[in-house]
Amino acid sequence: MKRNKRDILERLNAGEVIVGDGGMVLQLERRGYVKAGHWTPEAAVQNPEAVRQLHREFLRAGADVLQTFTFYCSDDKLELSGNVTNITGAQINEAACDLAREVADEGNALVAGCVSQTPCYLSNRNETEVKSLFKKQMDEFLKKDIDFFIAEFFRYAEEAAWAVQVLKTSGKTVGATLCISPHGDMNGLPPGECAVHLVKAGADIVGVNCHLDPTACIQTVKLMKEGLDKAGLKGHLMIQPLGCQTPECNLTGYISLPEYPFALECRTLTRWDVHKYAREAYDAGIRYIGGCCGFEAYHIRAISEELRAERGFLPPASEKHGLWGAGLELHTKPWVRARAQREYWENLLPASGRPKCPSMATPADE
Amino acid sequence: MKRNKRDILERLNAGEVIVGDGGMVLQLERRGYVKAGHWTPEAAVQNPEAVRQLHREFLRAGADVLQTFTFYCSDDKLELSGNVTNITGAQINEAACDLAREVADEGNALVAGCVSQTPCYLSNRNETEVKSLFKKQMDEFLKKDIDFFIAEFFRYAEEAAWAVQVLKTSGKTVGATLCISPHGDMNGLPPGECAVHLVKAGADIVGVNCHLDPTACIQTVKLMKEGLDKAGLKGHLMIQPLGCQTPECNLTGYISLPEYPFALECRTLTRWDVHKYAREAYDAGIRYIGGCCGFEAYHIRAISEELRAERGFLPPASEKHGLWGAGLELHTKPWVRARAQREYWENLLPASGRPKCPSMATPADE
Amino acid sequence: MKRNKRDILERLNAGEVIVGDGGMVLQLERRGYVKAGHWTPEAAVQNPEAVRQLHREFLRAGADVLQTFTFYCSDDKLELSGNVTNITGAQINEAACDLAREVADEGNALVAGCVSQTPCYLSNRNETEVKSLFKKQMDEFLKKDIDFFIAEFFRYAEEAAWAVQVLKTSGKTVGATLCISPHGDMNGLPPGECAVHLVKAGADIVGVNCHLDPTACIQTVKLMKEGLDKAGLKGHLMIQPLGCQTPECNLTGYISLPEYPFALECRTLTRWDVHKYAREAYDAGIRYIGGCCGFEAYHIRAISEELRAERGFLPPASEKHGLWGAGLELHTKPWVRARAQREYWENLLPASGRPKCPSMATPADE
Amino acid sequence: MKRNKRDILERLNAGEVIVGDGGMVLQLERRGYVKAGHWTPEAAVQNPEAVRQLHREFLRAGADVLQTFTFYCSDDKLELSGNVTNITGAQINEAACDLAREVADEGNALVAGCVSQTPCYLSNRNETEVKSLFKKQMDEFLKKDIDFFIAEFFRYAEEAAWAVQVLKTSGKTVGATLCISPHGDMNGLPPGECAVHLVKAGADIVGVNCHLDPTACIQTVKLMKEGLDKAGLKGHLMIQPLGCQTPECNLTGYISLPEYPFALECRTLTRWDVHKYAREAYDAGIRYIGGCCGFEAYHIRAISEELRAERGFLPPASEKHGLWGAGLELHTKPWVRARAQREYWENLLPASGRPKCPSMATPADE
């Protein structure tokens, strides 16, 4: 049995780079197992083989953490969605823990039990109610073999802090990521203050996920770091950005783009974009580096490959990938062989193949 | 047991629309199981769970045919590639047949045993040698439960015709697709004459696959149809185009694009592009409509959804997909709810999010 | 007095490169003297100083020929337009001849009296009526000091041939340019046959003008040349393309672009585009090389500068222009100084500064 | 004689909208009279007819002010440039005044004597020397019939203030515009403080010119207004932006764009962009609205047409321009006639016709 005994905090404290996993819901939507608009994770019960396989791809790409496929799996959200009627939230949460654990144990990965923002918070901001939703999910996770918790995809630092407070009662490590822009959370709280709020609530790791591209997310995490530094607080930094280019996005992120959610293909990051991202995130002092919606296995592998020197190893999936395109060296066309080098891919400006389309859209919240 | 007793030819003769599957190698490269530059299918032996899952996604999306994952699996290609040393071509071919059969039987799909162009042809054009390679693959397929054959991804009609001649000795139905542009094959043979050549060699179904986008491929198949009509020949038509926009491509297709193979993301078709493609292919009289590299499960689902009236049913994966974005109707943001309609997606011109990139590249073969 | 005694034909026969002038109507529209939609040349009477100055700029840029500002100045067109009521066509034609002559004599230029397509042809195709319109214009020109004639901007080779037949009765040299695409004239007559038709009608110089960009126009003139060669006919070649990029245009040219006529700025050629054009036109054997709508003085200067070795001199306006940007050598910013070289400008891919705009439009005649 | 007796200040105080003129040097470079890199105005002596004609176009387009063509006409700049050897700065300054006066008197325009930044300031920041250069130019202007002064194109508020102090000794009205971005001047002084500094130095009108597009310039003038309001100071506001789209520019403006100065065509404003600009400038409280480099006569006419209700009249050049494209109503093609309306042009997203070019560049100062 290969279980790594050292937990996430030990490893971060030791200065290790932790590679996160990629996005589950968007990818499983494309594979046919998640319904867009609902984005609920009933596939953990209905199609476990599909969830298991996606976990496995991330593991193979070098992910040190597999997040349970429990996005939007609070009871209020499931009820509101109405997408599943014969399965309970408890069933999904428990099945998701088993799936993540099973695959994590095929390698060396940790399992993070994940909670996310609740409709309840938006409708009444009742702390007791919201916390009881998180408590229920946590209790379901704790029936299973979970290594630590992540509270992710929160638009409001306040709600995220409530989640952190609940999850910390387990005694386990807790990470918290907001889906916010450099402008701050939806209450206008700047990133630096958000980070302080989360650390004070007990978060061991703080950062951002989803909603915006790597460039914007790195900027936001830097502001979080500045906030923590100013406040004299310690906290590990974490980043799991969108796998799409969103240069024109504002507060509400890619949801305000006209292409959301069914025409985002043109914006997808290449693996080379991810190399750049991973390096910049590392240079910004972030040590938990993963992805969210749009990050597929090959994007996670690109993080692992960019940071192979820092981590000391390549992931299993690199057996099927020549670094910087080296696998093209034996192509029959000389012009393709010429692409088997870092300089080529780093400098390429990829064309969209869509001359009647623009390169930027007008966000709906502008 | 749900096995459909009617074979592919019966169904095409009856005027049914056959939905093909999507691309395996490009997608499995991204998932970490195929090495770019080599593009060989050893994953059928090494990672059967990954191949099985991808087959399953296509089945779920409505594919009537699952193609064996045996691309480039002729012995000469495997040797040249040097990518696998401890597995034989026979092992891969046989394992691939079993995987396709296993998943096909979970639904109602047919299994097509697939052969593709050989390095041998390129180096010596020796008919005996080339045919013996196809014969060996065919014999391996025939040990398993295969419904029909497809000879695909041929740049030269001559080599494809040799493959057809070999495969027809099995007594089974044979389809043949060339990866050519409207300009014709690499010998300069126009599409119409290519089609005539293939039908005369025994092909029951002819068409194109890979290398160029739906627009170009439909144009090529139309020229094939004209050629057959002029020659007074009968042949069913088949199309499995690239899942990328390639408006500027010439003879050698997307391989000549600077973005090939690691920066094609921006060119990826949306599901709405596929609706348009499926309709145009149908209107052109093509009845076997699928995809090649870049076509993921949701693209195949889009073919099934566009042609739901003609086929009389929706695929399983449509349970997780509102037609034309209907699943967005319950979104919290009014501007996202407004996207839950056909008109919105049909008229959207998706932005690339890359203002420093062009919209067309200069192909290397220009 | 500097009048060059050698006429246009002598010079072309001697192998000289003749630089044409640029576009009058589009430029004078921008300067405030021509009304878009009408495009009639009443400014020759109403604002002679403006017409004179534009002639002068072209002369200074190296133009060997100044075309009279008599576009659309047939009586039927003037009447239909209704743009001028107190001035006759005769007045405009005569004033325009005087203006061109006056400026031509400030340098070494020839004056070409110009006629263009008539509404009369479109409405009734009556040869007698159409020819009488051209005859009247010609007679007005012949009252003045005109060196030769150009029949330009004809969509139909037939009408252009009628103009040529009339103008040849003067005994003077006649050039004829069609505003057609490589697909041929509006009757579907291919460029090669158009050229043969015009030469047989008496044209000494044939070619194309307006409507399409240099790339398309060069292609059309090449087809004209092939037609003449096949027919064993002699004729000098002439080209005066649009000063805009129109890669997506079909038969009706830039008029079908959504940007016509008030948003063509983004498509304007740079001087470096013109260098490339002039070289390609020269290499195609064309020896009368100018421009039409969109060609300003600096574009004409770029033709003169590209072909300075072939012509043996630079034009007066080059006193105010360092070749290939040499004038930037003394700029205070080092990065601007670095642009003072040919390689920089030849390889630049100029950005539009409009990220929300596409790079190609859909022509209205598609 | 039509001379308007009311001076600029009277008119601004009365709430009138003053339309400025467009750019001289860039336009005269294209016409063949100014050398790029030098940008000096010797054409006022060498080619008065060219300068006169350009003044006339602006007058005809509705300009209420003609600026003397005296850009970079301080003695230190002329010497450094070395572009003219047989003409003195005094000769140019005096000739330029005469030209502007002559044309202004053909209509109703005022003449502004203009000074601009000096190399002397950049090299030694010696107040005495710099002021003596301005004093010399002013004295030359005062020999002629000048209505007021403009100090324009200053990167440093300090130098501009010195110019203002000198020019105010004449007793005449003085306007001052900086070529700065919303980030402030090159010393880092924010726009609000720059405006305060200039008004305190005696400027009656303050604002920005050149270097950045209308969007950026309006933003900068708004910040200037806020600064004046906060300081309790009064000052009329003036804006003369670049006639190019520069969304990606930073501190040093369009000079840092790769396209500067010979490939800016694609970025040129359309007349409809100018309508939008004029309205936004007016709404921001700016009452002196003109243009700088890239603003041709038709752009100035667009300002006049957009603000025709506020001004109470249309300019002479509007005789040759149907409002919002009305002149297209009689076009023979129905699809062109359909463009004769405001909605069409306001919503058009003009294509660049350059699919291999990007929509944004990387500024050299980034």
Side-chain angles (χ1 to χ4, degrees):
Chain A
M1 148 117 174
K2 310 189 270 178
R3 287 290 292 283
N4 189 331
K5 298 298 174 202
R6 293 183 311 132
D7 86 349
I8 184 78
L9 218 50
E10 250 181 293
R11 294 168 71 177
L12 287 168
N13 287 336
E16 277 183 43
V17 176
I18 300 297
V19 173
D21 59 3
M24 301 289 285
V25 290
L26 200 69
Q27 185 58 23
L28 287 171
E29 194 278 334
R30 290 181 178 173
R31 296 187 185 188
Y33 302 99
V34 164
K35 190 161 186 180
H38 299 265
W39 305 117
T40 47
E42 62 276 10
V45 172
Q46 292 176 337
N47 304 91
E49 74 289 355
V51 177
R52 187 184 292 118
Q53 173 59 23
L54 186 53
H55 277 319
R56 200 170 268 147
E57 293 167 19
F58 290 136
L59 178 73
R60 188 170 160 77
D64 291 310
V65 177
L66 297 186
Q67 297 186 220
T68 56
F69 183 50
T70 52
F71 183 73
Y72 270 169
C73 205
S74 61
D75 282 353
D76 62 332
K77 174 68 188 175
L78 289 174
E79 191 180 348
L80 198 71
S81 158
N83 203 24
V84 282
T85 48
N86 56 347
I87 313 173
T88 64
Q91 283 176 296
I92 300 172
N93 282 320
E94 292 177 31
C97 289
D98 287 342
L99 285 168
R101 181 82 274 158
E102 175 191 344
V103 178
D105 287 355
E106 290 173 13
N108 211 9
L110 299 167
V111 170
C114 296
V115 302
S116 46
Q117 66 181 9
T118 63
C120 180
Y121 177 81
L122 267 190
S123 67
N124 63 23
R125 312 216 168 186
N126 181 312
E127 184 172 348
T128 311
E129 275 188 49
V130 171
K131 282 188 163 173
S132 76
L133 286 164
F134 293 135
K135 174 73 164 61
K136 180 169 174 295
Q137 268 189 280
M138 180 184 68
D139 289 342
E140 286 153 13
F141 294 154
L142 289 174
K143 290 186 198 160
K144 302 291 179 174
D145 184 10
I146 291 294
D147 295 304
F148 68 106
F149 290 108
I150 297 176
E152 70 172 1
F153 198 74
F154 286 89
R155 279 192 186 81
Y156 295 88
E158 182 184 58
E159 188 188 11
W162 291 351
V164 169
Q165 287 162 355
V166 171
L167 296 171
K168 281 307 289 184
T169 63
S170 69
K172 290 187 182 288
T173 298
V174 175
T177 53
L178 307 178
C179 52
I180 63 170
S181 81
H183 299 289
D185 84 348
M186 295 302 281
N187 278 330
L189 198 69
E193 295 181 38
C194 289
V196 166
H197 192 64
L198 291 171
V199 167
K200 286 188 174 165
D204 305 287
I205 315 167
V206 297
V208 297
N209 83 316
C210 207
H211 268 200
L212 287 150
D213 64 20
T215 304
C217 286
I218 289 173
Q219 201 188 336
T220 308
V221 178
K222 281 181 176 174
L223 293 169
M224 286 182 153
K225 185 175 189 305
E226 284 176 28
L228 293 177
D229 288 351
K230 251 189 232 168
L233 291 173
K234 293 273 171 208
H236 292 289
L237 300 173
M238 173 171 176
I239 186 165
Q240 307 217 96
L242 203 63
C244 298
Q245 303 287 9
T246 62
E248 69 274 60
C249 277
N250 301 313
L251 281 178
T252 50
Y254 82 137
I255 287 169
S256 62
L257 289 176
E259 294 84 10
Y260 174 86
F262 295 129
L264 292 163
E265 284 83 352
C266 312
R267 295 177 177 268
T268 307
L269 301 189
T270 66
R271 60 197 74 192
W272 320 116
D273 292 327
V274 174
H275 271 269
K276 190 168 161 285
Y277 148 63
R279 180 56 53 197
E280 288 178 2
Y282 182 85
D283 289 348
I286 307 169
R287 288 295 176 269
Y288 188 132
I289 302 171
C292 198
C293 297
F295 266 78
E296 302 183 28
Y298 72 106
H299 296 110
I300 297 300
R301 178 175 59 194
I303 301 175
S304 301
E305 293 189 348
E306 176 63 28
L307 299 173
R308 65 194 181 284
E310 288 77 4
R311 300 177 82 213
F313 60 94
L314 279 170
S318 291
E319 291 162 22
K320 298 289 177 186
H321 192 243
L323 280 174
W324 291 104
L328 302 177
E329 275 159 10
L330 49 73
H331 202 278
T332 51
K333 306 278 179 201
W335 68 72
V336 177
R337 286 199 296 277
R339 297 174 193 161
Q341 50 165 321
R342 175 171 180 165
E343 199 190 20
Y344 179 83
W345 295 107
E346 276 193 330
N347 292 311
L348 181 69
L349 293 167
S352 68
R354 299 181 181 265
K356 293 184 182 175
C357 293
S359 60
M360 278 195 186
T362 303
D365 61 346
E366 201 166 78
Chain B
M1 145 118 175
K2 310 190 269 179
R3 288 289 292 282
N4 188 331
K5 297 299 175 198
R6 292 182 313 128
D7 86 347
I8 184 79
L9 217 50
E10 249 181 293
R11 293 167 70 175
L12 286 169
N13 286 337
E16 277 183 41
V17 176
I18 300 297
V19 172
D21 60 2
M24 301 288 287
V25 290
L26 200 69
Q27 185 58 22
L28 287 171
E29 194 278 332
R30 290 182 177 173
R31 295 187 185 187
Y33 302 99
V34 163
K35 189 161 186 179
H38 300 264
W39 305 116
T40 47
E42 61 276 10
V45 172
Q46 292 176 339
N47 304 91
E49 74 289 355
V51 177
R52 187 184 293 118
Q53 173 59 23
L54 185 52
H55 277 320
R56 201 170 267 147
E57 292 167 19
F58 290 136
L59 178 75
R60 188 171 160 78
D64 291 310
V65 176
L66 298 185
Q67 297 185 219
T68 56
F69 182 51
T70 53
F71 183 72
Y72 271 168
C73 203
S74 60
D75 281 354
D76 62 332
K77 174 67 188 176
L78 290 174
E79 190 179 349
L80 199 71
S81 157
N83 203 24
V84 280
T85 48
N86 56 349
I87 312 173
T88 65
Q91 282 176 299
I92 300 172
N93 282 320
E94 293 177 31
C97 289
D98 287 341
L99 285 168
R101 180 83 275 157
E102 176 192 342
V103 178
D105 287 355
E106 291 173 13
N108 209 10
L110 298 167
V111 171
C114 295
V115 301
S116 45
Q117 66 182 9
T118 61
C120 179
Y121 177 81
L122 266 190
S123 67
N124 63 25
R125 312 216 169 185
N126 183 311
E127 184 172 349
T128 310
E129 275 187 49
V130 171
K131 282 188 164 175
S132 75
L133 286 164
F134 293 136
K135 174 73 165 60
K136 179 170 174 292
Q137 266 190 282
M138 179 184 69
D139 289 343
E140 287 153 13
F141 293 155
L142 289 174
K143 290 186 199 161
K144 301 291 181 176
D145 184 10
I146 290 295
D147 295 304
F148 69 107
F149 289 107
I150 296 176
E152 69 172 2
F153 199 75
F154 286 89
R155 279 192 185 84
Y156 295 87
E158 182 184 58
E159 188 187 11
W162 291 351
V164 169
Q165 286 163 355
V166 170
L167 296 171
K168 281 307 288 184
T169 63
S170 69
K172 290 188 182 287
T173 298
V174 175
T177 51
L178 307 178
C179 52
I180 63 171
S181 82
H183 300 288
D185 85 346
M186 296 302 282
N187 278 329
L189 198 68
E193 296 180 36
C194 288
V196 166
H197 192 66
L198 291 172
V199 167
K200 285 188 174 166
D204 305 289
I205 314 165
V206 296
V208 297
N209 83 314
C210 207
H211 268 203
L212 287 149
D213 64 19
T215 304
C217 286
I218 289 173
Q219 201 187 335
T220 308
V221 179
K222 281 181 175 173
L223 293 169
M224 286 182 153
K225 185 175 190 303
E226 284 176 29
L228 293 178
D229 289 350
K230 249 189 232 168
L233 292 173
K234 295 273 171 208
H236 293 289
L237 300 172
M238 172 171 178
I239 187 166
Q240 306 217 97
L242 204 64
C244 297
Q245 303 287 8
T246 62
E248 70 273 59
C249 278
N250 302 312
L251 282 177
T252 50
Y254 82 138
I255 288 170
S256 61
L257 288 176
E259 294 84 10
Y260 172 86
F262 296 128
L264 291 163
E265 284 82 352
C266 312
R267 294 176 177 268
T268 305
L269 302 188
T270 66
R271 59 196 75 191
W272 321 115
D273 292 327
V274 174
H275 271 269
K276 189 167 163 286
Y277 148 63
R279 180 55 53 198
E280 288 178 1
Y282 182 85
D283 289 348
I286 307 169
R287 287 297 175 271
Y288 188 131
I289 302 172
C292 198
C293 298
F295 267 78
E296 301 183 27
Y298 72 107
H299 296 109
I300 297 300
R301 179 175 59 193
I303 301 175
S304 301
E305 293 188 348
E306 175 64 28
L307 298 172
R308 65 194 181 283
E310 289 77 4
R311 300 177 84 211
F313 61 93
L314 280 170
S318 291
E319 290 162 22
K320 297 289 177 185
H321 192 243
L323 280 174
W324 292 104
L328 303 178
E329 275 158 10
L330 50 72
H331 201 279
T332 51
K333 304 278 179 201
W335 68 71
V336 177
R337 285 199 297 276
R339 297 173 193 163
Q341 49 164 322
R342 175 171 180 165
E343 200 190 20
Y344 179 83
W345 296 107
E346 276 193 330
N347 293 312
L348 181 70
L349 292 168
S352 68
R354 297 180 182 266
K356 293 185 182 175
C357 293
S359 61
M360 279 196 186
T362 303
D365 61 346
E366 199 166 77
Chain C
M1 146 117 172
K2 312 189 269 179
R3 287 289 291 283
N4 187 333
K5 297 298 177 198
R6 293 182 312 129
D7 86 348
I8 185 80
L9 217 50
E10 249 179 294
R11 293 168 70 176
L12 286 168
N13 285 337
E16 277 183 41
V17 176
I18 300 297
V19 173
D21 60 2
M24 301 288 286
V25 289
L26 200 70
Q27 186 58 21
L28 287 172
E29 194 279 332
R30 292 183 176 171
R31 296 187 185 188
Y33 301 99
V34 163
K35 190 162 186 180
H38 300 263
W39 305 117
T40 47
E42 62 276 10
V45 172
Q46 292 176 339
N47 304 92
E49 74 289 356
V51 177
R52 187 184 293 117
Q53 173 59 24
L54 185 52
H55 278 319
R56 200 170 269 148
E57 292 167 20
F58 291 136
L59 178 74
R60 188 170 159 78
D64 292 310
V65 177
L66 297 186
Q67 297 186 219
T68 56
F69 183 51
T70 52
F71 184 72
Y72 271 169
C73 203
S74 59
D75 281 354
D76 63 331
K77 174 68 189 176
L78 290 174
E79 190 180 348
L80 199 70
S81 158
N83 203 25
V84 281
T85 49
N86 56 347
I87 312 172
T88 65
Q91 283 176 297
I92 300 172
N93 282 319
E94 292 176 31
C97 289
D98 287 342
L99 285 167
R101 181 83 275 157
E102 175 191 343
V103 179
D105 287 355
E106 291 173 14
N108 209 10
L110 299 166
V111 170
C114 295
V115 302
S116 46
Q117 65 182 10
T118 62
C120 180
Y121 177 81
L122 266 190
S123 66
N124 63 23
R125 312 216 169 184
N126 183 311
E127 185 172 348
T128 311
E129 275 188 50
V130 171
K131 282 188 163 173
S132 75
L133 287 163
F134 294 135
K135 174 74 164 61
K136 179 169 174 294
Q137 266 190 281
M138 180 184 69
D139 289 342
E140 287 153 15
F141 294 155
L142 290 174
K143 291 185 198 161
K144 301 292 179 174
D145 184 10
I146 290 295
D147 295 303
F148 68 106
F149 289 107
I150 297 177
E152 69 173 1
F153 198 74
F154 286 89
R155 280 192 184 83
Y156 295 87
E158 183 184 58
E159 189 187 11
W162 293 349
V164 169
Q165 287 162 355
V166 170
L167 297 171
K168 280 307 288 183
T169 64
S170 69
K172 291 189 182 284
T173 297
V174 175
T177 52
L178 306 177
C179 51
I180 63 171
S181 82
H183 299 288
D185 85 347
M186 295 303 280
N187 278 329
L189 198 69
E193 297 180 37
C194 288
V196 166
H197 192 65
L198 292 172
V199 168
K200 285 188 175 166
D204 305 288
I205 314 167
V206 296
V208 297
N209 83 314
C210 208
H211 268 201
L212 287 149
D213 64 20
T215 304
C217 286
I218 289 173
Q219 201 187 336
T220 307
V221 179
K222 281 181 175 173
L223 293 169
M224 286 183 154
K225 186 176 189 303
E226 283 176 28
L228 293 177
D229 288 350
K230 249 188 232 167
L233 292 172
K234 295 273 171 207
H236 292 289
L237 300 173
M238 173 170 177
I239 187 166
Q240 306 217 96
L242 203 65
C244 297
Q245 303 287 8
T246 62
E248 70 273 59
C249 277
N250 302 312
L251 282 177
T252 49
Y254 83 137
I255 288 169
S256 62
L257 288 177
E259 293 84 10
Y260 174 85
F262 295 128
L264 292 163
E265 283 83 351
C266 312
R267 295 176 176 269
T268 306
L269 301 188
T270 66
R271 59 196 75 191
W272 320 115
D273 292 326
V274 174
H275 271 269
K276 190 168 162 283
Y277 147 64
R279 181 54 55 195
E280 288 177 2
Y282 183 85
D283 289 347
I286 307 168
R287 288 296 176 270
Y288 188 131
I289 302 172
C292 197
C293 298
F295 268 77
E296 301 182 28
Y298 71 107
H299 296 110
I300 298 300
R301 178 175 61 193
I303 301 175
S304 302
E305 293 189 347
E306 175 63 29
L307 298 172
R308 65 194 181 284
E310 288 78 4
R311 300 178 83 211
F313 60 93
L314 280 171
S318 291
E319 291 163 22
K320 297 290 178 185
H321 191 242
L323 280 174
W324 292 104
L328 303 177
E329 275 159 10
L330 49 73
H331 202 278
T332 52
K333 305 277 180 202
W335 69 72
V336 177
R337 285 199 298 276
R339 297 174 193 161
Q341 50 164 323
R342 175 171 180 165
E343 199 190 20
Y344 179 83
W345 295 107
E346 275 194 331
N347 292 312
L348 181 69
L349 293 167
S352 68
R354 298 181 182 265
K356 293 186 182 175
C357 293
S359 60
M360 278 195 186
T362 303
D365 62 346
E366 199 166 79
Chain D
M1 147 111 175
K2 309 190 269 178
R3 287 291 291 282
N4 188 331
K5 299 294 176 202
R6 293 183 311 130
D7 87 349
I8 184 79
L9 217 50
E10 249 181 294
R11 294 168 69 176
L12 287 168
N13 286 337
E16 277 184 42
V17 176
I18 300 297
V19 173
D21 59 3
M24 301 289 285
V25 289
L26 200 69
Q27 185 58 22
L28 288 172
E29 193 278 334
R30 291 182 177 171
R31 297 187 184 187
Y33 302 98
V34 163
K35 190 162 186 180
H38 300 263
W39 306 117
T40 47
E42 62 276 10
V45 172
Q46 293 176 337
N47 305 92
E49 74 289 356
V51 177
R52 187 185 293 117
Q53 173 60 23
L54 185 52
H55 278 318
R56 201 170 267 148
E57 293 168 19
F58 290 136
L59 178 75
R60 189 170 159 78
D64 292 310
V65 177
L66 298 184
Q67 297 185 219
T68 56
F69 182 51
T70 52
F71 183 73
Y72 271 169
C73 204
S74 60
D75 282 354
D76 62 332
K77 174 69 187 176
L78 289 174
E79 189 181 348
L80 199 71
S81 158
N83 203 25
V84 282
T85 49
N86 56 348
I87 312 172
T88 65
Q91 283 176 297
I92 301 173
N93 282 319
E94 292 176 32
C97 289
D98 286 340
L99 285 168
R101 182 81 275 158
E102 174 191 343
V103 178
D105 288 354
E106 290 173 13
N108 211 8
L110 299 167
V111 170
C114 296
V115 302
S116 45
Q117 65 182 9
T118 62
C120 179
Y121 176 80
L122 266 191
S123 66
N124 63 22
R125 312 213 169 188
N126 182 312
E127 185 172 348
T128 311
E129 275 188 48
V130 171
K131 282 188 164 174
S132 76
L133 286 164
F134 294 135
K135 174 74 166 57
K136 180 169 174 293
Q137 267 190 280
M138 180 184 69
D139 289 342
E140 287 153 12
F141 294 154
L142 290 174
K143 291 185 199 160
K144 302 291 179 174
D145 184 10
I146 291 294
D147 295 304
F148 68 107
F149 289 108
I150 297 177
E152 69 172 1
F153 197 75
F154 285 89
R155 281 192 184 83
Y156 296 87
E158 182 184 59
E159 188 188 10
W162 292 350
V164 169
Q165 286 161 356
V166 170
L167 296 170
K168 280 308 288 183
T169 64
S170 69
K172 291 188 181 286
T173 298
V174 176
T177 52
L178 306 177
C179 51
I180 63 170
S181 81
H183 300 288
D185 85 346
M186 295 303 281
N187 277 330
L189 198 69
E193 296 180 38
C194 288
V196 166
H197 191 65
L198 292 171
V199 168
K200 286 187 175 166
D204 305 286
I205 316 166
V206 296
V208 297
N209 83 316
C210 207
H211 268 201
L212 287 149
D213 64 20
T215 304
C217 286
I218 289 173
Q219 201 188 336
T220 308
V221 179
K222 281 181 176 173
L223 293 170
M224 286 181 153
K225 185 174 189 304
E226 284 175 28
L228 293 177
D229 289 349
K230 248 188 233 169
L233 292 173
K234 294 273 172 210
H236 292 289
L237 300 172
M238 173 171 178
I239 186 166
Q240 307 218 98
L242 203 64
C244 297
Q245 303 287 8
T246 62
E248 70 273 59
C249 277
N250 302 313
L251 282 178
T252 50
Y254 82 138
I255 288 169
S256 61
L257 288 176
E259 294 84 10
Y260 174 87
F262 296 128
L264 291 163
E265 283 83 351
C266 312
R267 296 176 176 269
T268 306
L269 301 189
T270 67
R271 59 196 75 192
W272 320 116
D273 292 327
V274 174
H275 271 269
K276 190 168 163 283
Y277 147 62
R279 180 55 52 196
E280 288 178 2
Y282 182 85
D283 289 347
I286 306 169
R287 289 295 176 270
Y288 188 132
I289 302 173
C292 197
C293 298
F295 267 77
E296 302 182 27
Y298 71 107
H299 296 110
I300 297 301
R301 178 175 61 194
I303 301 174
S304 301
E305 293 189 347
E306 176 62 29
L307 298 173
R308 65 193 180 283
E310 287 78 4
R311 299 177 84 211
F313 60 93
L314 279 170
S318 291
E319 291 163 20
K320 298 289 177 186
H321 192 242
L323 279 174
W324 291 105
L328 302 178
E329 274 159 10
L330 49 73
H331 202 277
T332 52
K333 306 276 179 202
W335 70 72
V336 177
R337 285 199 297 277
R339 297 174 193 161
Q341 49 165 324
R342 176 172 180 164
E343 199 190 21
Y344 179 84
W345 295 107
E346 276 194 329
N347 293 311
L348 181 69
L349 292 167
S352 68
R354 299 181 182 264
K356 294 185 181 175
C357 293
S359 60
M360 278 194 186
T362 303
D365 62 345
E366 201 166 77

